Amino acid sequence: MITETSRFNEECQVEVERQGSDPVTSATTKEWMNNANRFKYSYHFSVLGRPIIQYPQDIVAMQELIWEIKPDLIIETGIAHGGSLIMSASMLALLDMCDAIESGATLNPRESKRKVLGIDIDIRAHNRAAIEAHPMASRIQMIQGSSIAPEIVEQVREVAKGHECILVCLDSNHTHAHVLAELRAYAPLTSVGSYCVVFDTIVEDMPADMFPDRPWGPDNNPKTAVWEYLRAHPEFEIDKSIQHKLLITVAPDGYLKRIA
Ligand SMILES: C[S@@+](CC[C@H](N)C(=O)[O-])C[C@H]1O[C@@H](n2cnc3c(N)ncnc32)[C@H](O)[C@@H]1O
């Protein structure tokens, strides 16, 4: 049956596909992003008081995914100031609140199974202190170390064992080799129907001189790692509808849906 809602959704889908394949929109978006990045655009936002190094569009996409998937564990590599951990934790808190409203149960955040696990090679003392002092802290666990070190991967796998629905976000070192190793370590933890989100795939599409002080650039970045990983892993597919919707995103070809 066609309803007002189904008609609206269908219209949105058609428009998103059209805007995603429109060459003028694509070119002007790229030009805009290249300009905005000169001012470190993605560094200027915060979530519930903590700085987050993301584009607002990707923050909204993560909010949509968390609501749709309703994970009980979100694994994130790359903590920085903690904004993405706080954003994920706050969404998990809302999921718990919605469950409690529906079931009539009493809400006790400290007893919730839903949590966020962050891994960073360098958790600065002031960032750790601010994250641990945040009202969302009871849902957050942090591990310090390289995300691809075997002992760190083992700790993450141990935590994952106690969870049923897992969402993964990779946002640490952006070289091809590092992201490929992260994908091999953590993508298999992604639940079927959930996502492994790989940030900063946009590096592949940016001018080569955009990252003079970084080891990554065109041909050596998260997008090239995604492409290599997907060649051997048909259980994942790129959900292009997300990048077509956002247009402005640091993760083109980075929203990987686990389909099997
Ligand atoms: C782009 S920032 C993360 C931003 C964060 N996800 C957010 O949204 O605010 C990248 C982080 O990756 C961390 N990092 C770099 N190399 C790493 C590695 N080998 N293992 C884990 N973390 C690493 C850096 O210390 C830095 O904090």
Side-chain angles (χ1 to χ4, degrees):
M1 190 181 64
I2 297 175
T3 63
E4 280 297 313
T5 309
S6 69
R7 190 176 299 125
F8 175 76
N9 289 340
E10 221 168 276
E11 269 172 28
C12 286
Q13 215 176 324
V14 171
E15 287 153 358
V16 163
E17 265 172 41
R18 284 185 55 225
Q19 71 179 25
S21 57
D22 177 53
V24 175
T25 305
S26 171
T28 49
T29 300
K30 193 169 174 181
E31 189 188 353
W32 184 89
M33 286 184 73
N34 285 345
N35 271 317
N37 281 346
R38 294 188 298 125
F39 309 103
K40 295 178 80 174
Y41 175 80
S42 62
Y43 284 67
H44 308 148
F45 303 93
S46 64
V47 173
L48 304 186
R50 290 308 301 157
I52 183 168
I53 308 172
Q54 289 296 354
Y55 274 33
Q57 289 80 355
D58 289 304
I59 298 173
V60 172
M62 287 309 301
Q63 174 272 137
E64 291 189 5
L65 283 183
I66 296 170
W67 178 258
E68 180 193 322
I69 294 159
K70 304 195 173 17
D72 62 4
L73 178 65
I74 302 177
I75 298 169
E76 298 191 13
T77 68
I79 294 175
H81 304 265
S84 58
L85 292 185
I86 299 293
M87 142 71 193
S88 294
S90 67
M91 281 302 299
L92 296 182
L94 284 175
L95 292 179
D96 277 346
M97 193 187 79
C98 293
D99 284 353
I101 289 169
E102 272 175 21
S103 68
T106 314
L107 190 61
N108 184 348
R110 278 167 218 288
E111 280 174 10
S112 173
K113 197 176 157 192
R114 289 197 169 110
K115 70 179 208 177
V116 187
L117 176 60
I119 305 111
D120 200 295
I121 199 166
D122 179 17
I123 307 174
R124 306 259 167 94
H126 63 282
N127 287 330
R128 180 185 284 279
I131 295 164
E132 287 177 351
H134 197 278
M136 287 296 137
S138 67
R139 295 178 181 276
I140 296 172
Q141 181 181 345
M142 291 179 279
I143 299 177
Q144 178 159 288
S146 174
S147 54
I148 59 169
E151 67 278 11
I152 301 293
V153 174
E154 198 39 51
Q155 285 179 57
V156 175
R157 286 194 183 129
E158 261 321 295
V159 173
K161 272 183 194 160
H163 293 269
E164 279 140 36
C165 185
I166 301 178
L167 175 67
V168 175
C169 303
L170 306 180
D171 189 21
S172 67
N173 177 322
H174 300 315
T175 62
H176 177 98
H178 187 86
V179 178
L180 187 58
E182 280 189 332
L183 281 163
R184 289 179 175 146
Y186 302 120
L189 300 177
T190 309
S191 303
V192 176
S194 181
Y195 284 72
C196 176
V197 182
V198 184
F199 287 104
D200 276 356
T201 46
I202 190 71
V203 172
E204 173 68 7
D205 310 320
M206 304 199 109
D209 59 3
M210 187 72 95
F211 311 95
D213 55 344
R214 302 288 197 173
W216 49 82
D219 294 330
N220 174 15
N221 57 70
K223 195 188 268 187
T224 56
V226 163
W227 289 340
E228 182 172 343
Y229 184 77
L230 291 189
R231 278 200 284 278
H233 291 275
E235 71 272 25
F236 284 94
E237 70 177 19
I238 296 169
D239 184 346
K240 295 256 186 192
S241 72
I242 298 180
Q243 67 204 56
H244 290 168
K245 173 165 59 179
L246 300 182
L247 296 175
I248 295 173
T249 170
V250 299
D253 286 10
Y255 285 91
L256 310 182
K257 183 170 189 173
R258 181 150 191 187
I259 53 169

